[in-house]
Amino acid sequence: MRFDTVIRHGTVVTASDTFVSDVGIKDGRIAALAADLTDADEIIDATGLFVMPGGIDSHVHLDQPSGDGIVMADDFDSGTRSAAIGGNSTVLAFCMQEKGQTLREALKVYHAKAEGKCHVDVAFHLVITDPTPEVLGQELPALVQDGYTSLKVFMTYEGLRLRDDEILATLDTARRTGALVMVHCENEDAIRYLIGRHEEEGKFAPKFHATTRPVAAEREATHRALSLAEIVDVPVVIVHVSNREAMEEIRRARQRGQKIVGETCPQYLMLTAGDLDQTEMEGAKYVCSPPPRDKASQDACWEGLKQGVFDLFSSDHCPFRFDDPEGKLNEKGKRHFRWIPNGIPGVATRLPILFSEGVMKGRIDINQFVAVTSTNHAKLYGLYPRKGTIAIGADADIALWDPDKRVIVTNDILQHGADYTPYEGQEVRGWPVQLLLRGETIMKDGVLAQRKGCGTYLQRNRSSLVLSSATPS
């Protein structure tokens, strides 16, 4: 067989194996794994490099409505460009239903936002904010059949959060249709009470964002979400866990026999609440929810990754410009932390940070790195084995990694729409030097191929977690 492309002399890494092999690519898919493949139109020399599946970031916010006068820093062009710079070949973004809007109306809006702009492949999670009988009884079952097989609910943010009975109804619909539900766990009533108390005490600086969203508010909501899932008997994903207490709720639920997936993010490994406590509003750069915690919480999240409590490592990329009246420093935000847009950029730095701090420092091995950054995402969200692995028949979405390349993180190299990175000045060891999407090079040495629109929308199967559970009735 003559190949379109052969990657030679690299070390192939999957979630389970590490081996030396050439990779033959034909018609956008991996066609051979063998030694001495030479008959190809293009030969890529991967000597000294790891050949890994492209990253899959399953928790990314792009071009999302964010309140009056606030504009998210990344659309699907800049956000997926930055994803590719960081070695990701697929992102799963959120399609947010606004109050009074049908899910199909929301999808029409988001498909229009993404059409022709994406540098990597994309798929959507549905965000349910208005679970009317029509939405749950008619729309959602049909959309699951159409390949929109995951959805998210919020337990916080007024205007987005659902009551417990609404969460139960949504979970029950997911059980019957085979959808997978992601849950943002924070107790909104507790947060609103604490905000009121802070206001009485004149505490308005960015650092008080963290003290109004304490660990206990996340732990309680995590326990409640897991209890609701147990009542309905349905798997759930607990997203962006920031601390030991919430992590232990996941561990205990699994010990009870529940099928639960846990996710954590770079900010909970690298940042602390102290980063919000800076002068001149600099702390606003680090405002996200849940907020970063303390060193003990960082250690707990590393433990969760090492022990498999966290199956997913995602960025929760939610970018806003800092020095911008439509971003972090909007007029109301400068006066009160509650009006600072929640979220930080991170889609480009997710993989290098975990590779450097995890693999190169011996906290996790390289196979686990591939699992929590790519393979598990593909399996969980209905993309495996097309995505998330190096195997014959899989899409040739391949990241070539130089484990010895040292990079100082600066905002300019990340190519996102934000005007800052929370990881400015951090040195990382290990960096993606080339990225292929279905066999075509879309990034090399930090330079993106001028092929905007090469990314496609991915229709997905049901989750492996759903399929391994009881058959939906």
Side-chain angles (χ1 to χ4, degrees):
M1 177 190 296
R2 182 170 179 82
F3 303 102
D4 300 323
T5 303
V6 164
I7 301 172
R8 298 210 65 201
H9 308 306
T11 299
V12 174
V13 184
T14 71
S16 58
D17 298 297
T18 304
F19 55 94
V20 176
S21 177
D22 295 346
V23 181
I25 300 168
K26 182 74 173 178
D27 297 329
R29 294 181 180 269
I30 297 170
L33 294 169
D36 300 322
L37 300 177
T38 57
D39 190 9
D41 297 334
E42 178 187 20
I43 301 289
I44 297 173
D45 184 4
T47 301
L49 304 180
F50 289 123
V51 181
M52 298 191 284
I56 300 174
D57 195 341
S58 61
H59 195 144
V60 172
H61 301 268
L62 300 173
D63 208 351
Q64 187 172 292
S66 303
D68 291 341
I70 305 299
V71 178
M72 189 164 275
D74 276 326
D75 61 9
F76 281 85
D77 177 6
S78 62
T80 59
R81 178 175 67 234
S82 188
I85 292 298
N88 301 281
S89 53
T90 298
V91 298
L92 277 71
F94 293 94
C95 169
M96 181 171 288
Q97 175 201 28
E98 298 189 66
K99 293 287 187 180
Q101 189 181 43
T102 69
L103 295 177
R104 289 200 181 274
E105 287 170 344
L107 282 166
K108 183 177 180 180
V109 170
Y110 276 84
H111 275 291
K113 290 179 177 184
E115 182 68 30
K117 294 181 180 179
C118 296
H119 299 272
V120 304
D121 285 354
V122 299
F124 293 145
H125 305 293
L126 301 168
V127 177
I128 307 293
T129 66
D130 197 7
T132 64
E134 292 76 21
V135 166
L136 297 183
Q138 300 172 26
E139 271 205 294
L140 188 55
L143 288 171
V144 172
Q145 290 292 330
D146 290 343
Y148 301 94
T149 54
S150 56
L151 56 103
K152 184 180 182 181
V153 298
F154 286 85
M155 302 176 80
T156 186
Y157 303 128
E158 204 58 49
L160 297 182
R161 69 158 171 170
L162 303 186
R163 303 186 309 268
D164 285 2
D165 62 321
E166 293 174 320
I167 294 173
L168 280 167
T170 304
L171 290 172
D172 202 26
T173 300
R175 182 188 60 81
R176 289 184 284 104
T177 61
L180 180 65
V181 180
M182 312 159 72
V183 190
H184 178 138
C185 300
E186 290 182 286
N187 184 315
E188 176 67 12
D189 290 331
I191 292 164
R192 293 181 73 187
Y193 173 78
L194 291 172
I195 288 173
R197 201 169 74 182
H198 278 62
E199 289 173 338
E200 291 173 359
E201 298 170 354
K203 297 177 177 178
F204 303 112
K207 66 181 180 180
F208 296 115
H209 169 78
T211 53
T212 57
R213 307 182 90 94
V215 166
E218 183 182 347
R219 183 199 65 218
E220 183 281 329
T222 302
H223 177 79
R224 183 157 38 99
L226 295 170
S227 298
L228 296 175
E230 185 177 11
I231 288 168
V232 180
D233 190 22
V234 66
V236 292
V237 182
I238 305 298
V239 296
H240 47 49
V241 176
S242 71
N243 60 83
R244 177 175 299 280
E245 289 83 347
M247 180 182 80
E248 292 298 341
E249 293 291 343
I250 295 171
R251 197 195 304 270
R252 283 192 289 270
R254 287 180 174 170
Q255 290 170 345
R256 292 194 299 270
Q258 288 185 256
K259 291 191 174 180
I260 308 297
V261 167
E263 174 197 84
T264 195
C265 308
Q267 51 268 38
Y268 307 122
L269 304 180
M270 306 304 297
L271 305 177
T272 69
D275 290 303
L276 281 75
D277 187 8
Q278 300 188 43
T279 59
E280 302 298 328
M281 290 295 293
E282 285 290 313
K285 293 179 178 179
Y286 305 93
V287 168
C288 60
S289 295
R293 305 296 184 181
D294 57 14
K295 178 62 166 57
S297 294
Q298 289 179 343
D299 293 342
C301 289
W302 277 115
E303 178 187 312
L305 280 169
K306 288 187 284 188
Q307 295 181 354
V309 181
F310 298 132
D311 311 89
L312 304 176
F313 187 73
S314 306
S315 70
D316 193 8
H317 179 77
C318 189
F320 298 93
R321 293 181 64 80
F322 171 65
D323 191 9
D324 192 316
E326 295 180 322
K328 298 278 188 178
L329 295 190
N330 67 85
E331 285 304 312
K332 291 196 295 184
K334 287 189 286 187
R335 297 192 299 268
H336 196 314
F337 65 86
R338 69 177 298 185
W339 301 111
I340 298 171
N342 266 253
I344 59 176
V347 70
T349 47
R350 174 186 73 119
L351 295 174
I353 283 174
L354 187 62
F355 191 89
S356 181
E357 295 295 315
V359 177
M360 301 309 291
K361 292 187 177 180
R363 290 181 168 115
I364 61 173
D365 66 33
I366 195 167
N367 306 105
Q368 191 173 4
F369 171 84
V370 170
V372 300
T373 62
S374 185
T375 308
N376 291 353
H377 300 255
K379 289 181 176 180
L380 186 69
Y381 293 117
L383 293 170
Y384 189 85
R386 178 183 175 187
K387 305 287 188 182
T389 192
I390 305 291
I392 293 174
D395 282 359
D397 297 352
I398 298 172
L400 304 183
W401 276 79
D402 183 345
D404 296 317
K405 185 177 178 67
R406 295 180 181 271
V407 174
I408 302 295
V409 175
T410 56
N411 192 59
D412 60 298
I413 68 174
L414 305 179
Q415 300 187 35
H416 53 206
D419 58 353
Y420 78 99
T421 170
Y423 311 108
E424 185 79 29
Q426 180 178 331
E427 183 181 64
V428 294
R429 182 181 171 195
W431 196 265
V433 295
Q434 191 165 350
L435 179 67
L436 283 71
L437 178 66
R438 294 188 303 280
E440 297 290 332
T441 294
I442 61 168
M443 183 277 292
K444 186 174 183 180
D445 296 327
V447 177
L448 209 65
Q450 297 302 308
R451 297 178 60 241
K452 182 173 71 174
C454 63
T456 64
Y457 186 80
L458 302 171
Q459 186 179 42
R460 293 177 290 125
N461 298 319
R462 287 175 172 81
S463 168
S464 60
L465 191 66
V466 169
L467 295 174
S468 66
S469 304
T471 304
S473 58

